[in-house]
């Protein structure tokens, strides 16, 4: 009997107990990795990273995670350097992957591309960003980060999302994950870049309290500020992007007016939306957040390849 592999395609596929388990595993891995460089549980396994959109952290942290687990990595980066540029379909590119690799992580400009990929091949597929759709592994590492700093699950956590709520796929994934916990969400964006209707309906259905505004001051009574860049590559009208790109700037003066224990997160890369004068404030945890991505992705690779942590 063939078993359908566990793919990671959307934040919506997780229930609360799976999220709690992932947070627990990532916490355990983070502790182990303070003491050693590798945790060789995936010897001889191969990860293929297929990235057809720009990426630095996501691809490299997946690759680092696999290598630190003792596995290997093969990679194809950029449409222009792959056979897609010769006119090959994504399906044909992927179809051969199942004999080259045991798991693949895909980033593609089209929404739904990784779900299509998962339906056509027999190895687990991890969605590493599909256009303006979702970015579930970033959402998971963001959730893990919030859980490390806040009493997630025990106390009500007020999270402000700032920037490009319309096209920001990391926001789309994170809001769905947060809906399993006691939270209140505040969406701060230029009016043109507000929360897509689909997520308005999702939050309403999930009975999550949320509000939308264009006023940056709304961050002042929040526990988490999740800042994003305006996603220039998704705009049809480049002039509109130029008009909005510097709409918000979070700086030291603003953060000093906020709650003392506010944490400022950002999936990176940043443009000008977080001033560098914030970098040395204890509230600025975006580099720590990126580091957490390594532990979370190690936990995820173990999960999809069905390998347990030693203590389990
Ligand atoms: C994000 C993405 O690709 O959606 N980056 C990332 O993976 N860390 C956010 C962004 O590009 O703005």
């Amino acid at each position: 009997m063939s078993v359908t592999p566990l793919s990671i395609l959307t934040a919506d596929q997780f229930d609360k107990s799976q999220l709690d388990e992932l947070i627990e595993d990532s916490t355990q891995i983070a502790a182990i990795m303070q003491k050693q460089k590798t945790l060789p549980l995936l010897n001889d396994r191969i990860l293929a990273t297929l990235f057809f959109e720009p990426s630095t952290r996501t691809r490299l942290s997946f690759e680092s995670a696999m290598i630190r687990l003792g596995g290997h990595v093969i990679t194809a980066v950029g449409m222009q350097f792959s056979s897609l540029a010769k006119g090959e379909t994504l399906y044909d590119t992927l179809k051969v992957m199942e004999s080259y690799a045991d798991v693949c992580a895909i980033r593609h400009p089209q929404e739904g591309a990784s779900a299509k990929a998962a339906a056509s091949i027999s190895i687990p597929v991890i969605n590493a960003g599909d256009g303006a759709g979702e970015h579930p592994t970033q959402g998971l590492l963001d959730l893990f980060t919030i859980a490390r700093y806040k009493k997630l699950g025990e106390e009500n956590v007020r999270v402000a999302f700032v920037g490009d709520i319309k096209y920001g796929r990391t926001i789309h994934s994170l809001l769905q994950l947060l809906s399993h916990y006691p939270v209140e969400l505040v969406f701060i964006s230029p009016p043109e870049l507000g929360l897509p209707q689909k997520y308005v309906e999702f939050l309403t259905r999930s009975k999550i309290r949320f509000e939308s505004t264009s006023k940056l001051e709304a961050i002042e009574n929040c526990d988490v500020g999740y800042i994003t860049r305006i996603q220039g590559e998704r705009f049809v009208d480049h002039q509109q992007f130029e008009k909005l790109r510097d709409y918000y700037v979070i700086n030291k003066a603003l953060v000093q007016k906020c709650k003392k224990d506010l944490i400022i997160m950002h999936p990176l890369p940043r443009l000008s939306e977080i001033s560098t004068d914030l970098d040395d404030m204890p509230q600025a945890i975006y580099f720590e957040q990126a580091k957490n991505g390594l532990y979370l992705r190690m936990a995820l690779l173990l999960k999809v390849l069905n390998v347990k942590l030693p203590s389990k």
Side-chain angles (χ1 to χ4, degrees), residues 236-255:
V236 191
D237 175 357
H238 193 74
Q239 272 180 344
Q240 198 199 17
F241 166 63
E242 286 303 331
K243 203 180 88 197
L244 298 175
R245 59 173 291 160
D246 301 320
Y247 203 92
Y248 298 117
V249 177
I250 315 288
N251 57 21
K252 209 170 196 161
L254 173 76
V255 170

Side-chain angles (χ1 to χ4, degrees), residues 57-58 107 135 138 169-170 229 231 233 267-269:
R57 268 153 300 270
T58 304
R107 172 169 288 192
H135 192 351
Q138 178 71 43
R169 57 191 176 193
T170 68
R229 81 184 158 92
Q231 310 273 304
E233 69 275 34
L268 303 174

Side-chain angles (χ1 to χ4, degrees), residues 7-70:
S7 287
I8 310 293
L9 303 175
T10 161
D12 195 32
Q13 75 187 70
F14 295 94
D15 63 27
K16 178 155 186 306
S17 68
Q18 290 168 323
L19 294 177
D20 288 341
E21 192 185 329
L22 259 177
I23 292 172
E24 208 183 294
D25 288 359
S26 308
T27 307
Q28 196 184 331
I29 291 172
I32 296 172
M33 298 310 284
Q34 302 312 310
K35 294 180 256 148
Q36 58 197 60
K37 290 263 179 225
T38 59
L39 179 58
L41 298 171
L42 294 182
N43 297 334
D44 303 329
R45 305 294 185 94
I46 298 177
L47 163 73
T49 50
L50 306 174
F51 275 62
F52 305 118
E53 261 195 343
S55 169
T56 309
R57 268 153 300 270
T58 304
R59 184 169 66 83
L60 295 185
S61 72
F62 263 117
E63 297 184 353
S64 176
M66 190 61 177
I67 293 166
R68 290 204 189 273
L69 286 164

